[in-house]
Amino acid sequence: MKVAIVYDSKTGKTRRAAEEMAAMVRDAGHEYSVHPVQEADPAEVAAADAICIGSWTQGLMLILQHATQATIDFIDLLSPLHGKPAAVFCTYLVATGKMLPKMADRLRARGADVTGQFKVRGPMAAKSFGEWVRTLEKGG
Ligand SMILES: Cc1cc2nc3c(=O)[nH]c(=O)nc-3n(C[C@H](O)[C@H](O)[C@H](O)COP(=O)(O)O)c2cc1C
């Protein structure tokens, strides 16, 4: 399987989280790509077997949290995903509100089967991300 990881990071935490996720994907025997949303090619990402999209949390700390506009715009650019497995993730400081379910809905609107939602309060992969990786078939 090839897993495409795309992230938006302002100060580097989401980038480091995405890179750690990429290492977990690699260690599980899959191929991966990892790109900032500003450089990712929507056609290449849509062609992967599984997709992970992450953003830093933008909002008023306790309320109105959302993914960045660049993240949302990127999701909307993806061609139909025909039930491909997908996950959304974010890094945050205080609270994420409905940000992850909203990202998941947006990705579902592109046809993805969103089976993972992960949040971390720092520059690392969520521990439970490994379980999501294990749901992907090897070599598929
Ligand atoms: C303008 C701004 C708004 C933020 N709003 C929130 C928020 O609503 N909730 C929260 O938990 N963290 C919020 N944060 C914190 C960041 O989401 C958090 O530090 C994140 O890990 C940064 O990721 P990055 O290093 O990849 O940019 C905000 C940060 C900034 C700069």
Side-chain angles (χ1 to χ4, degrees):
M1 276 236 177
K2 170 128 188 218
V3 182
I5 302 172
V6 177
Y7 61 88
D8 194 7
S9 183
K10 192 177 164 79
T11 64
K13 286 187 203 163
T14 316
R15 174 177 57 76
R16 280 153 65 196
E19 286 167 354
E20 196 172 303
M21 291 162 73
M24 289 165 79
V25 165
R26 181 201 60 208
D27 291 350
H30 300 291
E31 289 179 50
Y32 71 90
S33 64
V34 57
H35 292 297
V37 72
Q38 293 80 6
E39 292 170 16
D41 176 353
E44 256 174 48
V45 171
D49 303 302
I51 293 161
C52 300
I53 300 198
S55 172
W56 59 278
T57 300
Q58 193 174 22
L60 303 179
M61 290 301 163
L62 287 171
I63 57 165
L64 296 175
Q65 302 92 344
H66 54 87
T68 63
Q69 193 61 46
T71 307
I72 291 164
D73 289 348
F74 184 84
I75 292 173
D76 290 349
L77 279 174
L78 293 170
S79 47
L81 296 170
H82 304 297
K84 286 182 189 188
V88 291
F89 67 98
C90 67
T91 65
Y92 72 110
L93 276 182
V94 181
T96 61
K98 295 191 173 67
M99 169 175 169
L100 286 172
K102 282 186 180 168
M103 288 173 76
D105 283 348
R106 202 102 188 177
L107 206 45
R108 284 190 190 106
R110 308 308 310 142
D113 180 16
V114 183
T115 50
Q117 298 184 24
F118 305 99
K119 57 180 180 181
V120 277
R121 236 194 209 123
M124 70 288 275
K127 287 201 176 68
S128 52
F129 181 68
E131 286 157 34
W132 183 81
V133 172
R134 279 193 288 282
T135 66
L136 305 174
E137 283 176 56
K138 263 189 199 174

